[in-house]
Amino acid sequence: MDLRTLYKVSYGVYIVSSVKDNKFNGQIANTVFQVTSEPPTIAICINKQNLTHQYIESSKIFTISILSTDATMQFIGKFGFKSGRDIDKFKDTKYKIGKTSAPVVLDYTIGYLEAELTGSMDAGTHTIFFGRIVDAETINNQEPMTYAYYHEIKKGKSPKTAPTYIASNGRAKEIKSEVIKMSKYRCTVCDYIYDPAQGDPDSGVQPGTAFESLPDDWVCPVCGADKTQFVKEE
Ligand code: FE
């Protein structure tokens, strides 16, 4: 059995949000799928340990924000690698209160769905929640992010920027010959790869910056781990 075959299954990247006692929480989810069209019903799969799971069980409502390929790693990291038990994820997030009274994240959102819980199924570590869609809106026609895009490009496994982006800013050759000698580093917490050819533009780190030259207070753009949690890639 080759479980890597599972990587061939495609998914999107979403934020599932809910509410409990006037407190909001949301999390990244990739398992969101329409199960029937009449009535319009959606299913999501959520880890039982997550705060959002508690909130959905309690309020019986949830919203789904469909993210665009523009979503930054910091943004995905805030909703994907941090817990609402430690931080208020909505503090610096653009959102609105939906029809269901659950929050709808609007940052990097190309469309959203709101649902009322109609049932659930125990899936071991996770619960599959079913919801009847009570509101849906398309915000724009930007490209939805896929799980593959996030892994390959956002996490730096196959640089979108390196060859073309660097070449377009005029310092092409200079940077190219320098970055060849520089090593990539991998975050041991979330598997993000720091690629010197790409830098970390979301945090103001220019392409062509060696890992060793990053400021001491630089942190993993995805999960917030510090530099000591990184290991050199082969
Ligand atoms: Fe990380």
Side-chain angles (χ1 to χ4, degrees), residues 43-171:
I44 56 173
C45 190
I46 301 289
N47 192 306
K48 288 176 184 172
Q49 294 183 349
N50 290 357
L51 191 61
T52 307
H53 188 283
Q54 272 182 30
Y55 283 22
I56 295 170
E57 275 192 322
S58 157
S59 64
K60 307 206 175 338
I61 47 179
F62 60 89
T63 69
I64 296 160
S65 298
I66 302 158
L67 299 183
S68 84
T69 52
D70 291 345
T72 63
M73 288 180 292
Q74 282 99 330
F75 179 74
I76 293 172
K78 175 167 69 170
F79 281 92
F81 283 92
K82 305 222 161 104
S83 172
R85 294 181 180 97
D86 305 324
I87 60 157
D88 176 5
K89 299 184 187 182
F90 283 79
K91 194 171 155 233
D92 302 310
T93 300
K94 194 173 153 208
Y95 68 95
K96 68 170 190 178
I97 307 299
K99 242 183 204 169
T100 52
S101 82
V104 178
V105 170
L106 296 174
D107 282 328
Y108 308 107
T109 294
I110 62 173
Y112 66 84
L113 306 164
E114 290 193 63
E116 289 173 357
L117 196 67
T118 54
S120 64
M121 194 185 138
D122 191 318
T125 53
H126 289 61
T127 300
I128 301 170
F129 291 111
F130 297 94
R132 186 174 60 89
I133 298 173
V134 295
D135 200 19
E137 197 150 341
T138 300
I139 294 172
N140 63 50
N141 289 315
Q142 285 181 41
E143 196 68 27
M145 186 175 303
T146 62
Y147 195 60
Y149 182 94
Y150 170 67
H151 268 275
E152 289 296 309
I153 292 156
K154 289 285 174 182
K155 272 197 171 177
K157 288 186 179 154
S158 56
K160 169 180 70 168
T161 46
T164 45
Y165 172 65
I166 289 178
S168 69
N169 74 9
R171 290 199 299 144

Side-chain angles (χ1 to χ4, degrees), residues 187 189-192 220 222-225 230:
C187 174
V189 178
C190 75
D191 272 347
Y192 162 79
C220 172
V222 177
C223 72
F230 277 73

Side-chain angles (χ1 to χ4, degrees), residues 9-24:
V9 179
S10 54
Y11 299 94
V13 180
Y14 311 95
I15 294 178
V16 171
S17 304
S18 191
V19 61
K20 185 186 177 187
D21 304 330
N22 293 320
K23 280 196 281 193
F24 301 146

